């Protein structure tokens, strides 16, 4: 390794950069908030920091089919306890989705009581709308984030944000607990699919565009809503893969992989941040002053408010044993920098925080700080002026435009991983035997946070949407036979599948996972369920070409099947239009153009990433996944050529322009994503073999060539140095696109 001079990109520069495009708080809002705070009692202030679940205000507090509000309980929450926020879907079984009309009614009732409060402070209502308006019946439900990432199409992420906000606003909801800005580098984790995958640059771009679409330049606009970056920070790398278990992330790794997406989300203007529900290096997210205050506020310049995750302040006592009482837990969390507590089922936070302030254990200044942040966001969101649903349902909810956009997103999110001898696309009159547990269900294509929290109530899914089987039946002019169960866990008659195979040209084997969210999705191995493996082994002995299709939120191990299958289509969670999108791909109505946003493991314990370190391929070490990040085939072929840089030597503060030609060399029109990777040849901290720094997706007719240009900024060449500061070190760098590599040097 050569000795180098470090060029430090100062923290100050980063802070300034991150704060420029955040919606600026006007002096009018600042003085309105100051004025309000001056009039507030301590009780009113602490109430603003309290968030409760709908259950607290619902009629019987448990299962209420009409989902009605109990006016006495609502008054207790809003007028007596002054709560600043309410959340979640009404407590019908499993928190089901409500009609758009019901939501408007509920919100109006809540805001009407808030308008009767002494200072008329509106309630901010929060909801998980993670792939569209989850909890509004018949909302447009997009591919989940892992699929949105697979589109490599930031415009689609922007549109998904726009449509989600519009449908939330039509439902009179304001605040979306989305996007997840965690990086998905632990494939066992049952929330992998909520992330934009393993790469920092891809996640940054997709997340930022989602926020920009959702919020616009002014989130008080009638059709815009607030976003919430979650789960800050380091939640997504549990060592054992189970949800809400410890992560061990060094500060260098945190800064390299896990902080940049949050910094980007803040830069894009997200006004709220939800806290990591687990722990990093022994410190629970809700107790981490260094993360919540030193880094988030002082370094990243975040001006909005932080909200705890579900019950997590209490859990500092009940689960983490960090506090000796619930009261101490409240003190630790508030002093660490948590501004609002998702309590969510009682007023304990309110009572305990009041006591703590009265006893002098939590300074009033800290309360004023948190409440100022909360009220500022409420003003910025236009809540003080909007008392009834601002936009009409007609023209804003489940429109044809929304469905068409959703269909495009589903098309662009399904990955063709293998296509031996161009077995795909199939002719419309091909006879296909369809089998496997995921072929005839909508829930397996949508995953968690769909209509219900777990997303597994198939009976509640809209009847008009098509499963893979029904979409194939609709498009086929040949014979489609289905041998499968009605539910995911039904056993499939393998002998019948094998016997039927003889009468068909192809077998579509549809495997994968049933839906899940959070802890219920924990598994201890990525291995496929034995019953699915047995079905696969049997169909592979028939000699018929097998098309393997998979759905689910994680890369379950399919190596032995994929090796023998003629084609492999990775569906992950493509949403409500997934069935049609798969049929369109199988029949060639859509030429596949998705790429993997994660590296697909070959074996259960062989978890690797595309940006591996040199040591991972040294001597006996190998990196040999089933498919790398960025892999994805098309029915046509593309070639990149003439890779060039505009200078071969540059200063560390300069930008460099990379150009490359991309040509459609096959016979179908299609889209290709050109990926630009960079490698720092030698550095004072070991660097990945390559890292994605830019990408562009372009449409090309057969024979057409496009000339693409990319600008790399100093930040794209930087890394977290020995002293934990972001630096660019002089030395050689290599830009890689396709099979070409070009070197340039940073001189000073
Ligand atoms: C999840 C969050 C979610 C919250 C509210 C928690 O269990 O971790 O992602 O926003 O619940 O539903």
């Amino acid at each position: 390794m050569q000795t180098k001079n470090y060029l430090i990109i100062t923290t100050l520069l980063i802070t300034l950069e991150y704060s420029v495009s955040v919606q600026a708080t006007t002096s009018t809002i600042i003085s309105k908030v100051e004025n309000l705070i001056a009039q507030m009692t301590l009780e009113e202030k602490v109430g603003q920091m309290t968030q409760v679940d709908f259950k607290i205000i619902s009629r019987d507090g448990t299962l209420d089919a009409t989902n009605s509000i109990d006016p006495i309980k609502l008054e207790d929450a809003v007028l007596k306890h002054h709560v600043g926020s309410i959340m979640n879907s009404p407590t019908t079984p499993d928190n089901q989705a409500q009609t758009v009309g019901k939501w408007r009614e509920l919100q109006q009732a809540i805001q009407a009581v808030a308008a009767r409060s002494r200072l008329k402070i509106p309630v901010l209502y929060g909801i998980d709308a993670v792939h569209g308006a989850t909890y509004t019946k018949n909302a447009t439900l997009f591919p989940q984030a892992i699929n949105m990432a697979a589109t490599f199409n930031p415009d689609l992420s922007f549109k998904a944000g726009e449509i989600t906000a519009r449908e939330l606003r039509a439902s009179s909801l304001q605040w979306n607990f989305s996007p997840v800005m965690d990086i998905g580098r632990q494939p066992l984790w049952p929330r992998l699919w909520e992330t934009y995958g393993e790469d920092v640059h891809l996640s940054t771009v997709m997340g930022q565009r989602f926020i920009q679409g959702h919020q616009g330049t002014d989130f008080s606009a009638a059709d815009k809503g607030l976003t919430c970056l979650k789960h800050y920070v380091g939640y997504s790398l549990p060592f054992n893969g189970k949800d809400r278990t410890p992560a061990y992330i060094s500060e260098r790794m945190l800064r390299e992989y896990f902080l940049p997406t949050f910094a980007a989300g803040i830069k894009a203007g997200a006004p709220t941040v939800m806290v990591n529900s687990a722990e990093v290096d022994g410190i629970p997210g809700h107790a981490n002053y260094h993360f919540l205050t030193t880094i988030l506020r002082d370094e990243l310049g975040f001006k909005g408010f932080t909200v705890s995750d579900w019950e997590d302040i209490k859990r500092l006592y009940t689960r983490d044993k960090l506090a000796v009482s619930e009261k101490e837990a409240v003190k630790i969390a508030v002093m660490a920098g948590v501004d609002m507590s998702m309590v969510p089922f009682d007023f304990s936070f309110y009572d305990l925080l009041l006591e703590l302030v009265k006893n002098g254990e939590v300074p009033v200044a800290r309360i004023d700080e948190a409440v100022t942040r909360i009220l500022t966001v409420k003003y910025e969101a236009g809540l003080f002026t909007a008392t009834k649903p601002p936009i009409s349902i007609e023209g804003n909810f489940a429109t044809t435009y929304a469905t068409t956009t959703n269909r495009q997103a589903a098309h662009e999110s399904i990955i063709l991983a293998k296509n031996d001898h161009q077995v795909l696309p199939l002719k419309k009159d091909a006879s296909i035997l369809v089998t496997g547990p995921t072929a005839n269900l909508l829930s397996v294509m949508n995953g968690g946070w769909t209509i219900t929290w777990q997303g597994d109530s198939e009976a509640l899914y809209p009847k008009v949407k098509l499963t893979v089987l029904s979409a194939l039946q609709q498009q086929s002019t040949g014979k489609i036979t289905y041998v499968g169960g009605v539910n995911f866990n039904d056993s499939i008659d393998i002998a019948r599948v094998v016997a039927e195979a003889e009468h068909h040209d192809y077998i579509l084997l549809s495997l994968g996972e049933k839906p899940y969210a959070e802890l219920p999705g924990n598994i201890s191995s990525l291995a496929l369920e034995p019953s699915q493996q047995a079905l696969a082994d049997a169909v592979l002995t028939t000699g018929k070409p097998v098309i393997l299709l998979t759905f689910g939120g994680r890369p379950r191990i399919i190596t032995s099947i994929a090796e023998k299958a003629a084609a492999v289509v990775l569906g992950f969670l493509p949403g409500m239009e997934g069935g049609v999108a798969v049929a369109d791909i199988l029949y060639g109505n859509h030429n596949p153009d998705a790429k993997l946003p994660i590296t697909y493991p070959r074996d259960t314990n062989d978890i690797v990433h595309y940006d591996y370190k040199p040591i991972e391929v040294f001597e006996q070490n190998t990196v040999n996944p089933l498919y790398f990040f960025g892999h994805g085939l098309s029915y046509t072929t593309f070639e990149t050529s003439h890779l060039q840089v505009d200078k071969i030597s540059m200063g560390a503060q300069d930008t460099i322009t990379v150009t490359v030609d991309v040509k459609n060399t096959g016979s179908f029109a299609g889209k290709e994503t050109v990926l630009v990777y960079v490698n720092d040849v030698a550095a004072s901290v070991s660097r990945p073999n390559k890292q994605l720094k830019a990408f562009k997706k372009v449409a090309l007719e057969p024979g057409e060539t496009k000339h693409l240009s990319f600008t790399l900024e100093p930040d794209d060449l930087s890394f977290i140095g020995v002293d934990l500061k972001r630096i660019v070190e002089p030395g050689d760098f290599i830009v890689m696109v396709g099979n070409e590599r070009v070197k340039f040097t940073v001189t000073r």
Side-chain angles (χ1 to χ4, degrees):
M1 189 201 305
Q2 58 192 108
T3 315
K4 297 175 176 187
N5 295 325
Y6 298 163
L7 291 157
I8 297 175
I9 300 176
T10 64
T11 304
L12 178 67
L13 267 178
I14 293 173
T15 308
L16 287 178
E17 193 208 334
Y18 288 147
S19 49
V20 278
S21 56
V22 176
Q23 190 168 331
T25 305
T26 63
S27 52
T28 326
I29 291 183
I30 294 173
S31 62
K32 279 184 176 167
V33 171
E34 279 171 3
N35 185 29
L36 207 49
I37 297 259
Q39 299 174 58
M40 289 170 84
T41 61
L42 181 61
E43 286 74 9
E44 284 165 338
K45 290 176 184 172
V46 167
Q48 282 303 307
M49 296 170 68
T50 306
Q51 182 185 61
V52 291
D53 186 88
F54 186 91
K55 186 174 170 184
I56 289 287
I57 59 162
S58 73
R59 197 168 282 282
D60 69 0
T62 51
L63 304 180
D64 179 358
T66 61
N67 314 311
S68 47
I69 290 175
D70 180 332
I72 312 275
K73 287 187 184 170
L74 179 59
E75 288 189 2
D76 181 60
V78 177
L79 303 181
K80 185 160 168 254
H81 289 96
H82 320 286
V83 299
S85 179
I86 304 179
M87 62 161 303
N88 217 350
S89 197
T91 8
T92 42
D94 203 10
N95 301 73
Q96 293 180 17
Q98 308 300 308
T99 63
V100 82
K102 185 74 197 184
W103 271 123
R104 290 161 80 104
E105 202 183 286
L106 296 172
Q107 294 305 306
Q108 227 168 342
I110 293 169
Q111 299 304 355
V113 172
R116 281 171 32 221
S117 65
R118 195 175 72 89
L119 296 168
K120 306 189 186 343
I121 302 176
V123 169
L124 180 59
Y125 204 96
I127 201 89
D128 292 282
V130 309
H131 66 132
T134 305
Y135 286 121
T136 306
K137 272 188 188 157
N138 300 319
T140 307
L141 294 182
F142 287 94
Q144 295 281 6
I146 195 81
N147 284 66
M148 292 307 294
T151 70
F152 278 78
N153 187 337
D155 288 344
L156 278 173
S157 193
F158 181 87
K159 287 179 184 164
E162 246 183 344
I163 293 166
T164 301
R166 201 170 294 141
E167 298 199 357
L168 280 180
R169 296 302 294 123
S171 318
S172 202
L173 293 161
Q174 305 109 1
W175 181 23
N176 187 354
F177 299 142
S178 173
V180 168
M181 294 302 255
D182 302 313
I183 297 291
R185 293 175 78 85
Q186 165 53 289
L188 278 163
W189 188 46
R191 307 190 74 169
L192 180 84
W193 51 274
E194 293 183 61
T195 75
Y196 293 112
E198 78 187 35
D199 180 61
V200 176
H201 179 71
L202 178 62
S203 306
T204 298
V205 174
M206 299 308 277
Q208 276 198 322
R209 292 300 282 155
F210 177 85
I211 294 163
Q212 286 159 352
H214 202 284
Q215 298 193 164
T217 49
D218 171 7
F219 51 68
S220 73
D223 60 350
K224 298 295 175 194
L226 313 184
T227 59
C228 182
L229 310 175
K230 66 189 191 183
H231 308 77
Y232 180 83
V233 61
Y235 178 40
S236 57
L237 200 71
F239 180 75
N240 69 19
K242 309 253 167 67
D243 191 28
R244 291 175 162 89
T245 57
Y248 302 93
I249 302 174
S250 70
E251 180 128 354
R252 184 186 329 284
M253 196 178 184
L254 188 89
R255 290 176 176 281
E256 186 85 46
Y257 291 98
F258 298 96
L259 270 181
T261 43
F262 285 93
I266 293 165
K267 189 180 173 193
T272 69
V273 163
M274 191 185 291
V275 181
N276 173 2
S277 194
E279 62 170 62
V280 175
D281 195 22
I283 315 285
H286 291 73
N288 201 323
Y289 181 88
H290 180 57
F291 290 178
L292 292 173
T293 299
T294 312
I295 295 182
L296 185 66
R297 303 286 172 182
D298 305 348
E299 216 179 290
L300 303 185
F302 178 60
K303 300 279 187 292
F305 72 85
T306 56
V307 60
S308 84
D309 201 346
W310 184 270
E311 218 178 83
D312 279 328
I313 295 183
K314 271 181 205 249
R315 288 177 185 164
L316 291 178
Y317 165 61
T318 58
R319 181 191 64 184
D320 302 320
K321 313 296 175 201
L322 207 86
V324 295
S325 64
E326 266 189 56
K327 188 168 164 186
E328 193 188 15
V330 170
K331 179 178 168 183
I332 291 173
V334 170
M335 293 315 291
V338 182
D339 298 317
M340 182 183 277
S341 172
M342 190 185 286
V343 190
F345 288 138
D346 56 44
F347 297 107
S348 57
F349 173 81
Y350 171 89
D351 294 332
L352 296 170
L353 187 53
L354 267 182
E355 269 179 54
L356 286 162
V357 183
K358 285 180 182 161
N359 296 342
E361 288 184 72
V362 169
V364 177
R366 171 67 192 108
I367 303 295
D368 285 352
E369 179 184 61
V371 179
T372 299
R373 290 168 181 162
I374 294 166
L375 292 177
T376 303
V377 171
K378 287 189 176 185
Y379 269 110
E380 286 174 346
L383 288 187
F384 281 86
T385 46
T387 47
K388 56 183 180 186
I391 54 171
S392 59
I393 301 170
E394 185 68 34
N396 288 305
F397 187 80
T399 59
T400 312
Y401 166 74
T403 307
T404 312
T405 308
N406 193 11
R407 177 87 47 98
Q408 188 194 342
H411 277 149
E412 294 198 22
S413 80
I414 295 167
I415 299 142
L416 177 65
K418 179 179 181 184
N419 192 18
D420 270 5
H421 311 295
Q422 275 76 47
V423 62
L424 297 179
L426 301 174
K427 293 207 171 58
K428 288 259 162 99
D429 62 1
S431 73
I432 310 171
L433 171 64
V434 180
T435 189
T438 60
N440 198 25
L441 293 172
L442 292 170
S443 54
V444 294
M445 297 190 292
N446 281 277
W449 307 112
T450 306
I451 308 169
T452 62
W453 173 45
Q454 290 298 307
D456 57 355
S457 303
E458 185 75 23
L460 300 176
Y461 276 66
K463 304 287 172 275
V464 291
K465 298 297 175 190
L466 302 183
T467 64
V468 169
L469 176 66
S470 46
L472 286 173
Q473 284 166 335
Q474 208 172 69
Q475 294 194 22
S476 164
T477 58
K479 179 165 81 168
I480 305 278
T481 307
Y482 174 58
V483 182
V486 176
N487 301 307
F488 187 91
N489 290 325
D490 291 349
S491 65
I492 295 177
D493 184 346
I494 294 183
R496 212 185 121 209
V497 174
V498 172
E500 279 289 351
E502 227 178 281
H503 313 296
H504 294 81
D505 302 331
Y506 302 95
I507 303 172
L508 178 67
L509 175 64
S510 190
L511 305 180
E513 298 186 311
K514 59 184 168 203
Y516 52 85
E518 305 185 55
L519 273 84
N522 282 347
I523 50 174
S524 47
S525 167
L526 283 173
L528 210 53
E529 284 174 2
S531 60
Q532 295 192 43
Q533 186 70 48
L535 176 67
D537 292 344
V539 301
L540 286 166
T541 61
T542 63
K544 294 285 175 175
V546 172
I547 298 149
L548 171 65
L549 170 66
T550 62
F551 291 115
R554 285 174 286 223
R556 302 301 286 262
I557 301 306
I558 52 168
T559 308
S560 66
I561 312 164
E563 274 166 356
K564 294 184 200 129
V568 176
V569 178
L570 305 173
F572 288 97
L573 297 170
M576 285 296 179
E577 299 301 318
V580 177
V582 166
D584 282 345
I585 286 173
L586 295 182
Y587 287 128
N589 304 333
H590 178 79
N591 186 358
D593 51 21
K595 289 189 186 292
L596 267 167
I598 54 162
T599 297
Y600 205 110
R602 181 173 290 275
D603 213 339
T604 45
N605 295 336
D606 196 13
I607 293 168
V608 289
H609 304 109
Y610 85 92
D611 50 350
Y612 57 85
K613 297 288 187 70
I615 199 169
E616 292 178 76
V617 289
F618 190 63
E619 295 185 338
Q620 279 74 34
N621 284 342
T622 51
V623 171
N624 185 25
L626 183 60
Y627 308 116
F628 269 116
F629 169 92
H631 173 70
L633 304 173
S634 163
Y635 293 149
T636 190
T637 46
F638 299 101
E639 251 173 49
T640 49
S641 61
H642 303 109
L643 176 65
Q644 282 178 337
V645 286
D646 70 338
K647 42 179 96 70
I648 52 161
S649 149
M650 61 186 274
Q653 307 295 344
D654 297 342
T655 60
I656 185 163
T657 302
V658 178
T659 52
V660 69
D661 291 341
V662 54
K663 182 175 183 186
N664 183 343
T665 50
S667 46
F668 289 90
K671 286 186 185 170
E672 170 69 331
T673 303
V674 175
L675 304 168
V676 179
Y677 293 103
V678 172
N679 168 245
D680 186 341
V681 174
S684 53
V685 171
S686 80
R687 300 301 298 141
N689 76 97
K690 61 179 182 179
Q691 273 185 323
L692 184 73
K693 293 299 174 187
F695 63 89
K696 253 180 212 160
K697 190 169 193 174
V698 288
L700 293 160
E701 293 298 321
E704 188 184 357
T705 300
K706 279 188 177 152
H707 182 68
L708 304 182
S709 173
F710 303 86
T711 305
L712 299 182
E713 307 284 340
D715 208 36
D716 295 321
L717 309 181
S718 71
F719 65 92
I720 306 301
V722 173
D723 59 0
L724 300 178
K725 300 242 165 45
R726 188 167 280 279
I727 56 170
V728 178
E729 277 184 348
D732 291 344
F733 289 80
I734 295 171
V735 179
M736 302 169 219
V737 177
N739 296 325
E740 290 182 291
R741 298 156 72 88
V742 172
K743 195 172 89 176
F744 65 93
T745 307
V746 171
T747 52
R748 70 204 129 72

